[in-house]
Amino acid sequence: MKTYRNLYPNLCSYENLELAFRKARKKKTTKQYVMDFESNLEENLNQLKYELETFAYAPSPLTTFTVRDPKTRRISASHFRDRIVHHALCNVIGPIFEKRFIHDSFANQKGKGTHSAIRRFEKFMRKVSSNGHKLRNGGGGNCVLHSNRCYVLKADIKHYFDNIDYEILLGIIRRKISDPRIIWLIKQILSNHKTRFPGKGMPLGNLTSQFFANVYLNELDYFVKHTLKAKYYLRYVDDFVILHMDKNVLERWQCEIGQFLKSNLNVEIHPDKSRIVSVRNGITLLGFRVFYHYRLLKKSNARRVWKRLDKFKQKHQAGNIEKEKISQSLDGWLAYAEFANTYNLRMKVASAFAEAFNSGE
């Protein structure tokens, strides 16, 4: 297997750091900390370059806060200059690992995402459930007969980001990266996150966490695709699904996957969020409820928009938010909801918005 030995000079180059800066500031150009850094860009990047080249670089403490959207999560944000380093690292090692990612890994990659994952799942669902049977319709064409004999193993990893093992992760990375300076920098980034269990856990919110999460579970992808030879498998971060006509096969695979994860990656399938079900009544996946020929929003996602509108109305009446920002948020939600069969819901939400925020104009 080819390994890469002299990547660090490229990582530390001014050109790479400048590119990393431009990626880190994307959609944040009006933030004060970005403007402060950019006001003296050349000097700041050269200082970062010097620290990296002399191994004097040390990341600043993470800023941790809680979000509830909808479940409660602790997000740890890095200092802006550290985010530049994260991008600089991923610029260099990202393409090396992404070449090895399977086609059906959909998170945190250009040209992928939740919509692509759901479309792929729908294609799998129709293929498996048709069982290869076609009927001739009255017009002389073919129509697919969807049987009920299609099951899906839907699973995720228990407390995934909290349980990623540094030594296992570094062992996976070392198979491709033999430059000790790159490994040193990765260790600096990993150890900056203070956890209850030393040597385990990555913060939600970091670019490097998202990237390393894919590198880590790429091991699972290869096991499922090449050892189990599961044809209809896809993964989004730590959520994964496998479809098959035979429920017994999926039960066996679930046991083998559990053993593989425990033995090789020191993580485990979440016992309460992993199950094998028939696709007949639809599958909840990545915020949507997916059926053979249509999609709906997950019920909790549909309910949440009404709560959000109420909060916006209260903030607007108190003078804490401008209508323009509310409108931008609404536009984003409408674009998200449009991926499902939600015409009536979207019309009701748009009407409620107009009634709440346009009545006085």
Side-chain angles (χ1 to χ4, degrees):
M1 181 184 292
K2 181 179 179 181
T3 61
Y4 296 80
R5 304 186 179 201
N6 195 32
L7 299 171
Y8 201 67
N10 185 21
L11 185 150
C12 297
S13 71
Y14 186 90
E15 293 75 18
N16 184 48
L17 291 173
E18 185 176 27
L19 174 61
F21 160 74
R22 304 208 180 281
K23 288 184 176 181
R25 75 164 184 172
K26 192 174 181 182
K27 297 183 180 179
K28 296 179 176 64
T29 53
T30 60
K31 298 287 187 182
Q32 188 61 48
Y33 60 79
V34 175
M35 292 189 289
D36 290 344
F37 192 96
E38 191 169 16
S39 66
N40 205 0
L41 181 62
E42 187 173 350
E43 182 178 334
N44 285 330
L45 289 181
N46 275 322
Q47 176 63 31
L48 202 51
K49 181 176 185 292
Y50 171 79
E51 291 177 21
L52 289 167
E53 288 175 336
T54 59
F55 305 102
Y57 169 75
S60 300
L62 299 169
T63 301
T64 301
F65 55 94
T66 301
V67 298
R68 295 174 177 85
D69 189 25
K71 60 185 179 182
T72 300
R73 294 178 297 162
R74 288 178 64 80
I75 305 295
S76 296
S78 293
H79 193 280
F80 182 66
R81 75 195 303 268
D82 296 326
R83 285 181 240 165
I84 295 172
V85 174
H86 298 170
H87 278 281
L89 173 65
C90 290
N91 285 348
V92 172
I93 71 172
I96 294 169
F97 286 94
E98 287 166 3
K99 285 190 295 187
R100 299 193 68 248
F101 290 169
I102 66 168
H103 175 74
D104 291 316
S105 169
F106 285 93
N108 308 311
Q109 296 175 72
K110 193 172 181 179
K112 299 290 185 76
T114 56
H115 290 185
S116 296
I118 289 171
R119 289 191 188 100
R120 184 68 164 168
F121 176 81
E122 290 171 333
K123 185 175 181 180
F124 285 171
M125 186 168 61
R126 288 191 286 267
K127 278 189 174 183
V128 178
S129 63
S130 70
N131 297 329
H133 297 306
K134 291 186 178 180
L135 298 177
R136 299 291 291 184
N137 64 28
N142 289 326
C143 67
V144 177
L145 174 64
H146 292 294
S147 78
N148 292 326
R149 196 183 170 196
C150 176
Y151 299 92
V152 58
L153 164 60
K154 183 175 180 292
D156 71 9
I157 312 297
K158 185 177 180 180
H159 305 312
Y160 177 51
F161 279 85
D162 289 337
N163 286 304
I164 290 175
D165 186 293
Y166 296 170
E167 284 308 310
I168 294 174
L169 173 63
L170 290 168
I172 294 168
I173 292 171
R174 285 190 181 103
R175 290 185 216 152
K176 297 298 294 179
I177 308 294
S178 56
D179 188 331
R181 298 163 294 181
I182 295 285
I183 301 300
W184 168 82
L185 180 58
I186 292 172
K187 287 181 176 179
Q188 290 289 103
I189 293 169
L190 291 174
S191 63
N192 192 42
H193 180 50
K194 307 308 177 189
T195 63
R196 285 197 310 166
F197 305 104
K200 296 183 79 172
M202 296 192 305
L204 292 173
N206 275 2
L207 171 70
T208 47
S209 296
Q210 298 166 9
F211 174 70
F212 292 147
N214 265 342
V215 171
Y216 205 76
L217 282 186
N218 191 51
E219 303 295 299
L220 170 65
D221 298 342
Y222 271 66
F223 173 75
V224 173
K225 296 294 289 183
H226 298 293
T227 302
L228 300 183
K229 300 191 183 302
K231 188 174 182 181
Y232 301 108
Y233 163 85
L234 65 85
R235 179 177 60 80
Y236 189 94
V237 193
D238 63 319
D239 289 311
F240 62 92
V241 294
I242 312 176
L243 296 96
H244 201 278
M245 289 168 17
D246 191 336
K247 188 177 182 180
N248 293 324
V249 171
L250 291 178
E251 288 173 347
R252 187 178 76 246
W253 284 351
Q254 184 175 10
C255 290
E256 293 183 46
I257 288 169
Q259 292 168 1
F260 173 84
L261 289 171
K262 191 65 179 172
S263 300
N264 294 272
L265 299 177
N266 200 19
V267 294
E268 58 185 271
I269 291 178
H270 200 303
D272 300 326
K273 297 181 180 179
S274 304
R275 58 186 61 88
I276 297 169
V277 295
S278 169
V279 301
R280 176 170 35 179
N281 298 319
I283 301 297
T284 301
L285 182 67
L286 302 176
F288 295 88
R289 186 81 179 162
V290 184
F291 298 83
Y292 283 122
H293 299 295
Y294 63 97
R295 316 175 192 113
L296 298 177
L297 273 186
K298 186 179 174 183
K299 286 183 179 179
S300 60
N301 287 351
R303 287 194 297 265
R304 202 181 321 143
V305 69
W306 298 112
K307 293 180 181 179
R308 185 183 297 180
L309 270 179
D310 286 340
K311 285 184 180 179
F312 280 151
K313 189 172 181 179
Q314 292 170 13
K315 287 184 177 181
H316 184 62
Q317 289 172 346
N320 295 327
I321 190 171
E322 297 176 356
K323 179 189 163 186
E324 184 181 353
K325 292 221 173 209
I326 300 171
S327 182
Q328 289 173 356
S329 178
L330 175 70
D331 289 343
W333 183 87
L334 290 173
Y336 163 77
E338 192 174 8
F339 187 67
N341 299 79
T342 56
Y343 177 81
N344 290 336
L345 175 62
R346 285 182 282 121
M347 292 304 100
K348 287 178 182 178
V349 170
S351 177
F353 171 84
E355 183 179 345
F357 299 105
N358 295 339
S359 57
E361 296 182 6

